[in-house]
Amino acid sequence: MTAMFRSLSGRNYRIWFAGALVSNVGTWMQRTAQDWLVLTKLSDNDAIAVGVTMALQFGPQLLLLPLTGLAADRFDRRRMLMLTQGLMGALGLGLGIMVLTNTATIWSLYGFALALGIVAAFDTPIRQAFVSDVVQGEHVANAVALNSASFNAARLIGPAVAGVLIAAIGSGWVFVINAASFLAVLGALRFVDPAQLAERVRPKRGKGQIIAGFRYVRTRPDIVIVLCMIFVIGTFGVNFPIFTSTMARVEFHKGAGEFGLLNSVMAIGSVAGALLSARRDRPRMRMLVVSAAGFGLACTAAALAPTYWSFAIVLVFVGLASLTFMTTANALVQTTTKPAMRGRVMALYMAIFAGGTPIGAPIVGAVADAWGPRWAIAVGAASGFVALAIALVWLVRHERFRLRYDADTRLHLAITHAVPVVGSRAARAGLRRDLERDEAVADRSSAV
């Protein structure tokens, strides 16, 4: 248990974690209230209007990618986070006032969604990279996993609280409460000790700094592979609202309560996946491969689930596999990226992960409309297997990955004579020792 929460031993990270958790709950409350407001109050149950709102919120993250990554590397991340978090709180308060005074329209909400998307485009890579400022060395991967656990715990709590508050006091007050939740993270940033933050090497001013980030990634084939896997699963696999809503409504003929329960069940698996990732001392490519395969298998089982309750049970494993995959990928990229490039690389990572949604969601939705929700989930399963194939092809071609059978015909997997060219010297030495130990175990079993 201590190992699972080891990054909380640092004062700065404890403060940041607590403030971020409160803010994450508020953010999920606002997302729920916003979608409900658009669907039921500002439009005539128009799902397209909800889709437009989502596109306006996530689109800027892709379009502003070059600027947001450079900002995360060049400027003081703590002060930038105070700015972005303050602006998002102000936007939430403004929207709440408009709803409470009955002056909100669909177009004004589109404007707020776009403004929130622009601010969030800068906030996301800065917040991701800030983890490595607050937590250094071997605890970074653990901190990344705990951040995922915090985010998904908020996803479990926020929508449920929002549903109760919307019925009791209305959507407008939910936006106001979310605005107040930003005070927690602003307070946390205020009390974080700057003297204990990691020293950073910031990029020099001048031309070519934006392009330098892309060039750096191009020289890192291991990161390129992770980004390719993230794109495939993020685009075609992580469309859970489509999967759960269509299965609940179309396949099992259930109502809103049962639909909400499916989201909570999946969040339980997601939190479990994040906490299990937090137990590992460092991220490994083998876990990324295993979790991609697990995601494909879990989605396959979900597509074949005969009843509502069997589908709900399988969703726990879908959430577990997906969060293990995403947390491992995030930690692999963060811990092996040169500190001076981390902001730009994480901006690219988040843009690829979130930017695929406008591409994949309509395709998956069209499959659900044409052939049914089970086939839509099958598309998600295929994304897991394609990501697995991408990793295996790279390992075979570049890392000398091979299959080995011993005298008892038991299968062994080994990576021989190949150490990635990335990361610190200590990390490479540690990985080399792991590979030599794996080979020694395989050789001993072969001799039996």
Side-chain angles (χ1 to χ4, degrees):
M1 185 64 70
T2 303
M4 184 181 295
F5 300 100
R6 57 187 178 275
S7 57
L8 290 174
S9 60
R11 174 185 175 276
N12 274 352
Y13 185 67
R14 285 198 305 272
I15 295 172
W16 165 248
F17 181 87
L21 177 60
V22 174
S23 180
N24 284 336
V25 172
T27 297
W28 277 106
M29 289 171 58
Q30 173 157 312
R31 288 184 181 180
T32 304
Q34 177 181 278
D35 292 345
W36 186 257
L37 179 68
V38 171
L39 190 65
T40 63
K41 301 294 184 182
L42 301 182
S43 71
D44 186 18
N45 294 322
D46 188 355
I48 295 178
V50 178
V52 170
T53 305
M54 292 178 63
L56 290 170
Q57 279 192 251
F58 291 106
Q61 192 158 292
L62 183 61
L63 297 176
L64 297 175
L65 165 64
L67 297 176
T68 58
L70 185 60
D73 280 333
R74 175 168 292 173
F75 300 113
D76 186 301
R77 290 171 185 157
R78 175 172 166 271
R79 293 183 178 180
M80 286 293 294
L81 280 174
M82 295 182 76
L83 175 62
T84 56
Q85 293 286 309
L87 287 174
M88 287 193 286
L91 287 169
L93 179 61
L95 182 56
I97 292 173
M98 291 187 66
V99 173
L100 290 174
T101 56
N102 295 317
T103 57
T105 66
I106 189 65
W107 291 104
S108 64
L109 192 137
Y110 285 163
F112 272 97
L114 178 60
L116 186 63
I118 292 172
V119 178
F122 286 90
D123 178 82
T124 301
I126 296 172
R127 187 158 31 88
Q128 291 283 329
F130 186 64
V131 174
S132 58
D133 292 346
V134 179
V135 181
Q136 296 93 47
E138 60 184 8
H139 293 334
V140 172
N142 176 258
V144 170
L146 289 182
N147 281 352
S148 295
S150 168
F151 183 78
N152 285 280
R155 188 175 73 173
L156 185 65
I157 300 168
V161 174
V164 174
L165 292 178
I166 290 171
I169 58 179
S171 298
W173 285 109
V174 175
F175 296 132
V176 174
I177 292 172
N178 173 58
S181 74
F182 283 98
L183 295 176
V185 72
L186 288 173
L189 289 167
R190 171 64 179 81
F191 287 104
V192 163
D193 185 1
Q196 296 182 17
L197 297 178
E199 295 185 6
R200 291 171 48 201
V201 178
R202 301 182 186 181
K204 298 178 180 179
R205 295 182 179 273
K207 296 181 179 180
Q209 293 302 319
I210 294 175
I211 300 299
F214 292 95
R215 288 176 177 168
Y216 175 78
V217 171
R218 191 177 62 185
T219 65
R220 293 286 307 276
D222 58 318
I223 291 181
V224 172
I225 289 300
V226 174
L227 294 179
C228 288
M229 296 173 71
I230 276 290
F231 174 77
V232 172
I233 290 183
T235 300
F236 299 104
V238 188
N239 290 293
F240 301 138
I242 297 175
F243 298 158
T244 55
S245 62
T246 55
M247 284 292 282
R249 186 69 176 174
V250 177
E251 193 69 23
F252 300 124
H253 309 289
K254 301 295 184 179
E258 290 84 356
F259 165 59
L261 178 61
L262 292 179
N263 290 324
S264 295
V265 167
M266 180 174 288
I268 292 172
S270 299
V271 172
L275 291 177
L276 288 175
S277 297
R279 290 179 61 88
R280 302 182 186 97
D281 55 349
R282 55 189 173 88
R284 292 179 173 85
M285 188 68 181
R286 72 186 71 170
M287 182 51 62
L288 199 66
V289 171
V290 170
S291 58
F295 181 76
L297 292 172
C299 285
T300 301
L304 299 175
T307 66
Y308 170 83
W309 288 110
S310 62
F311 179 71
I313 292 171
V314 173
L315 283 184
V316 175
F317 298 96
V318 174
L320 175 66
S322 62
L323 249 292
T324 300
F325 174 82
M326 288 185 284
T327 302
T328 303
N330 188 309
L332 271 172
V333 173
Q334 284 215 49
T335 56
T336 63
T337 298
K338 188 166 63 174
M341 291 288 180
R342 190 168 287 139
R344 279 164 284 185
V345 173
M346 290 311 299
L348 179 60
Y349 174 94
M350 296 306 299
I352 288 175
F353 179 66
T357 300
I359 301 171
I363 295 175
V364 173
V367 170
D369 287 341
W371 294 295
R374 294 185 185 276
W375 282 104
I377 300 177
V379 174
S383 73
F385 295 131
V386 170
L388 171 64
I390 290 172
L392 291 179
V393 169
W394 180 73
L395 287 171
V396 169
R397 295 186 61 181
H398 299 283
E399 299 297 319
R400 300 186 188 179
F401 179 85
R402 71 167 185 256
L403 303 180
R404 173 187 294 171
Y405 288 88
D406 64 14
D408 297 324
T409 68
R410 289 176 296 184
L411 181 63
H412 291 278
L413 304 179
I415 305 175
T416 62
H417 309 301
V419 177
V421 296
V422 300
S424 66
R425 180 176 301 174
R428 292 198 300 271
L431 185 53
R432 184 181 292 108
R433 288 194 298 271
D434 284 350
L435 297 178
E436 291 172 351
R437 184 185 65 241
D438 291 343
E439 282 203 331
V441 172
D443 290 336
R444 286 196 299 271
S445 62
S446 298
V448 175

